[in-house]
Amino acid sequence: MSTKQPIRVAVTGAAGQIGYSLLFPIAAGHVFGPDQPVILQLLELPVALNAVEGVRMELEDGAFELLADVVTTSDSSVGFGDADVALLVGSKPRGPGMERADLIRENGPIFIGQGKAIDANANPNVKVVVVGNPCNTNCLIAQAQAKRTNPRNYTAMTRLDQNRAMSQLANKAGCDVADISRLAIWGNHSPTMYPDYTNALIGGKPLTDVITDHEWLDGPFIKTVQQRGRAIIDARGKSSAASAAWAAIKHTRDWHRPTPDGEWVSMAVTSDGSYDIPEGLIYSFPCTVDSSGRYEIVQGVELDSKARARADASAAELVSERDAVADLI
Ligand code: NAD
Ligand code: LMR
């Protein structure tokens, strides 16, 4: 066992679909590295405590060398106690015929209580990743409770959208996903999100030099990424889970290591007014992370007029979501 101090990772909704897929890679070292012990603090509703106890038993049965402890609880002060990382998954998923924003009145209030509990109990520099939908606005609600914790460290997940976009592009170009860089998601995790292919590279060359089917890029590509969550619900009868968990793993891992040179990671973070996106929105931008684990919004990305309109439309949607929860923030 490593001599490093364990990282405390709080996971809400740990007995749910995403939780089930998320915990084992964390315990295996895929997020914080092969010599970093972790303590998992699993927060669930009282009704799901039995189920989460079963998950705890399975984690034990994995005999993970890096898993220093597993705590299961429905007490948020215990769940978030001294947490260094908080993965906020616990909330209701949408069903067929719903948009993610339809969940806000039901899921939004969860993030008031959890935001307060994080602020009261977690490490002041806790890194928060909101997965529960609508994740950008739920993140805003949780962040609004931050008095002691660092508000800059409240983020929402658009990594699944980045991953989806990269796979679509790699299939079209007939290249490896690893050849694609600088594919950025702008905006909300919703059908207004903008997967910006215009600044992406394939093997270091402009993507648009390699994929010359501009009609496809502007039409079916963008639409597929924007509507992928719905397509999965239609096919599976349930919302994405393993791919969402994997995206949460990559979001968290990439916030704990320097971004490789020339790459960007998409994270929904607090707008500081960059690109004229209204300040304070939780908006997905291309980001890089430095060696101290601090992210920065990439500056100087060129957005052509179509891209600009799309980025603005997603910001406008987030403004209206923010207005709709004005009583919660
Ligand atoms: P699920 O229903 O399988 O699991 C949710 C779990 O959360 C359940 O075990 C439930 O008991 C628990 N829970 C509910 N309220 C809680 C609370 N207040 N505190 C602690 N636990 C609570 O759902 P899922 O498929 O795991 O999805 C979870 C959320 O993630 C949904 O809102 C879904 O829409 C969202 N999601 C987001 C993305 C993304 O890319 N941002 C991707 C997929 C799913
Ligand atoms: C997704 O993008 O798969 C998730 O946000 C689930 C959903 O409701 O689409």
Side-chain angles (χ1 to χ4, degrees), residues 7-322:
I7 289 185
R8 290 181 175 271
V9 185
V11 180
T12 71
Q17 295 199 90
I18 296 175
Y20 193 70
S21 301
L22 179 61
L23 300 172
F24 294 81
I26 299 176
H30 292 318
V31 177
F32 303 107
D35 64 345
Q36 176 58 63
V38 291
I39 296 175
L40 288 171
Q41 304 183 168
L42 311 184
L43 183 65
E44 256 297 351
L45 294 175
V47 68
L49 276 180
N50 256 348
V52 84
E53 178 54 18
V55 176
R56 192 199 62 73
M57 287 157 64
E58 286 203 66
L59 282 163
E60 191 173 280
D61 294 350
F64 294 105
E65 288 90 349
L66 295 169
L67 191 55
D69 198 6
V70 182
V71 176
T72 62
T73 183
S74 57
D75 177 342
S76 54
S77 67
V78 175
F80 294 121
D82 296 324
D84 302 299
V85 174
L87 298 167
L88 306 189
V89 181
S91 52
K92 202 174 160 188
R94 68 171 162 158
M98 294 171 75
E99 286 301 341
R100 298 180 189 94
D102 297 336
L103 294 166
I104 192 64
R105 295 309 311 182
E106 204 165 340
N107 283 345
I110 295 173
F111 294 84
I112 301 179
Q114 291 190 348
K116 285 188 198 309
I118 291 170
D119 201 52
N121 298 288
N123 177 329
N125 276 315
V126 60
K127 288 181 170 177
V128 178
V129 183
V130 179
V131 175
N133 277 321
C135 60
N136 300 56
T137 298
N138 286 336
C139 181
L140 192 70
I141 295 170
Q143 184 194 47
Q145 320 307 321
K147 311 280 180 279
R148 188 182 65 95
T149 50
N150 182 356
R152 201 176 181 277
N153 280 357
Y154 285 67
T155 68
M157 186 174 95
T158 51
R159 184 56 176 263
L160 180 54
D161 309 305
Q162 179 187 326
N163 291 347
R164 287 168 170 167
M166 288 173 68
S167 282
Q168 294 298 317
L169 293 169
N171 287 344
K172 181 76 175 175
C175 68
D176 292 339
V177 171
D179 296 331
I180 298 179
S181 57
R182 300 194 173 194
L183 182 285
I185 301 295
W186 295 75
N188 197 3
H189 176 60
S190 81
T192 68
M193 88 186 68
Y194 171 50
D196 175 23
Y197 62 83
T198 65
N199 289 289
L201 306 175
I202 295 188
K205 284 199 262 181
L207 179 140
T208 48
D209 288 356
V210 181
I211 302 178
T212 51
D213 182 351
H214 289 240
E215 238 169 73
W216 178 83
L217 285 167
D218 244 358
F221 163 66
I222 293 181
K223 193 146 192 233
T224 298
V225 179
Q226 291 175 332
Q227 294 293 346
R228 188 67 160 191
R230 173 177 301 281
I232 287 168
I233 292 171
D234 290 346
R236 237 170 67 85
K238 289 183 186 166
S239 67
S240 64
S243 58
W246 188 242
I249 283 161
K250 286 196 157 178
H251 177 124
T252 312
R253 179 200 65 179
D254 288 354
W255 194 1
H256 281 82
R257 66 169 199 182
T259 308
D261 270 353
E263 289 187 19
W264 298 344
V265 290
S266 294
M267 295 166 63
V269 302
T270 308
S271 171
D272 57 2
S274 292
Y275 301 96
D276 293 327
I277 299 304
E279 263 182 64
L281 290 182
I282 302 291
Y283 188 95
S284 182
F285 290 101
C287 294
T288 55
V289 175
D290 68 16
S291 56
S292 66
R294 183 184 159 88
Y295 71 78
E296 294 294 346
I297 297 169
V298 176
Q299 299 297 318
V301 178
E302 284 196 18
L303 294 175
D304 64 20
S305 57
K306 269 196 271 184
R308 183 72 250 176
R310 289 180 166 129
D312 287 344
S314 206
E317 181 184 50
L318 282 168
V319 169
S320 61
E321 284 187 20
R322 180 171 67 184

